[in-house]
Amino acid sequence: MSIHIEAKQGEIADKILLPGDPLRAKFIAENFLEDAVCFNNVRGMLGYTGTYKGHRVSVMGTGMGMPSISIYARELIVDYGVKTLIRVGTAGSLNKDIHVRELVLAQAAATNSNIIRNDFPEYDFPQIADFSLLDKAYHIAENMGVTTHVGSVLSSDVFYSNMFERNLKLGELGVKAVEMEAAALYYMAAQHGVQALAMMTISDSLVNPDEDTTAEERQNTFTDMMKVGLETLITE
C-alpha cells in the first residue's frame, strides 16, 4: 500500500475514473459498476474497483485542488501501475455560450499554480490531454447526443479569488471553463508516461450565475459525463 491509499497490489485496475468528490466515486461504483469492492477509505477518499461491460475499472476521489490530485495520481501511477486516468469533475463556465450540464473536454489546461513552474521556472510547460483519449471521448459524447465543448480550461489554485474579472477575460480569449485539477493531472501523466484526460460537467457559470446547481446535484446527477468517462476507458 502507499502512504494515502490502503489498497493491496492488484486491487486497483489499470484504468480509473477520478472524480474530485469521493461521494461521486461511491455513486459511480454503486450505479455503474458490477461487483464493486471498496479498496480505499483513508481520509474518507473512497475508491472502488469493479467491472463495467465486462471490463475491470476503478474509480476514486481525489479531493479538491492540484496538490490533492497530484498526491493521488502519483501514487496510483507509481505504486499501483495505473496507466489511464480520466478526471470526471465539475467546472465553472467562462463563456456565455457554454451552459450548466454541458460537457467540457480539456484539450489543454492553463494554470496559475507554481506546481509545474517550480520544476521548470524558465518555461511555460504545456499541459495537454492524451489525444487518443480526447478523440475517443469526443466521439462517444457526440454519439450519445451530449452537448460537448473541446478546448482549453483554467486550472486555478484558488476557488475564492480576486481574479474574477481577469478569469472572465480568459473566457473572452477562448478558455472554456475554470476548475482546479486538470493541469496537475496532465503534468503527472507527462512525468510518468501514462494517458490522462480531464472532462468536466459545467456545474455553475461565471457569466450566467442563475444557472448554478446544488451540491446534491453535483454529486449525483452528472451521469452523462460518468457514462462518457467509462465508455472512453473501455474503448480500444
Side-chain angles (χ1 to χ4, degrees):
M1 62 184 68
S2 65
I3 296 174
H4 302 93
I5 304 172
E6 62 187 344
K8 298 179 178 64
Q9 290 299 317
E11 291 185 340
I12 302 177
D14 65 355
K15 301 177 178 67
I16 194 165
L17 291 187
L18 299 175
D21 185 351
L23 292 179
R24 192 181 304 131
K26 184 174 186 286
F27 179 88
I28 292 170
E30 291 177 345
N31 289 275
F32 293 97
L33 301 187
E34 295 182 2
D35 303 318
V37 176
C38 183
F39 63 75
N40 189 68
N41 196 26
V42 175
R43 296 173 178 255
M45 198 56 69
L46 299 171
Y48 301 84
T49 297
T51 59
Y52 177 74
K53 295 185 176 180
H55 296 263
R56 190 166 182 262
V57 299
S58 295
V59 56
M60 180 179 173
T62 64
M64 291 187 286
M66 283 176 275
S68 187
I69 196 173
S70 294
I71 290 169
Y72 292 110
R74 187 189 187 283
E75 293 184 15
L76 287 166
I77 295 165
V78 173
D79 297 314
Y80 294 98
V82 177
K83 303 296 184 186
T84 305
L85 304 91
I86 298 181
R87 165 166 156 71
V88 282
T90 57
S93 172
L94 292 173
N95 189 302
K96 63 181 177 61
D97 296 321
I98 299 177
H99 300 284
V100 164
R101 299 189 182 282
E102 296 178 350
L103 186 66
V104 170
L105 304 179
Q107 183 176 17
T111 186
N112 54 21
S113 172
N114 282 328
I115 287 178
I116 299 131
R117 197 170 295 118
N118 286 338
D119 291 342
F120 295 98
E122 303 91 346
Y123 306 102
D124 290 324
F125 187 87
Q127 309 311 312
I128 59 173
D130 177 84
F131 179 76
S132 175
L133 292 179
L134 179 68
D135 184 52
K136 291 175 190 176
Y138 175 75
H139 287 98
I140 288 167
E142 187 177 57
N143 289 337
M144 287 175 53
V146 178
T147 302
T148 304
H149 308 270
V150 180
S152 57
V153 301
L154 168 63
S155 296
S156 179
D157 248 352
V158 289
F159 186 88
Y160 296 108
S161 171
N162 60 6
M163 304 285 286
F164 183 81
E165 295 298 330
R166 294 179 70 177
N167 288 348
L168 289 180
K169 184 65 177 178
L170 289 177
E172 295 174 11
L173 298 177
V175 176
K176 305 297 183 186
V178 56
E179 52 88 69
M180 300 184 71
E181 290 84 22
L185 176 61
Y186 288 175
Y187 187 47
M188 287 294 108
Q191 281 186 311
H192 299 286
V194 300
Q195 295 180 302
L197 174 66
M199 61 177 67
M200 285 75 62
T201 299
I202 297 299
S203 60
D204 58 277
S205 174
L206 279 70
V207 289
N208 299 308
D210 57 319
E211 297 183 356
D212 293 359
T213 58
T214 67
E216 183 178 359
E217 288 175 310
R218 291 190 292 274
Q219 176 184 311
N220 295 331
T221 67
F222 295 160
T223 53
D224 284 344
M225 171 181 63
M226 300 170 192
K227 293 175 186 175
V228 172
L230 287 164
E231 291 291 333
T232 302
L233 278 184
I234 68 171
T235 300
E236 298 298 332

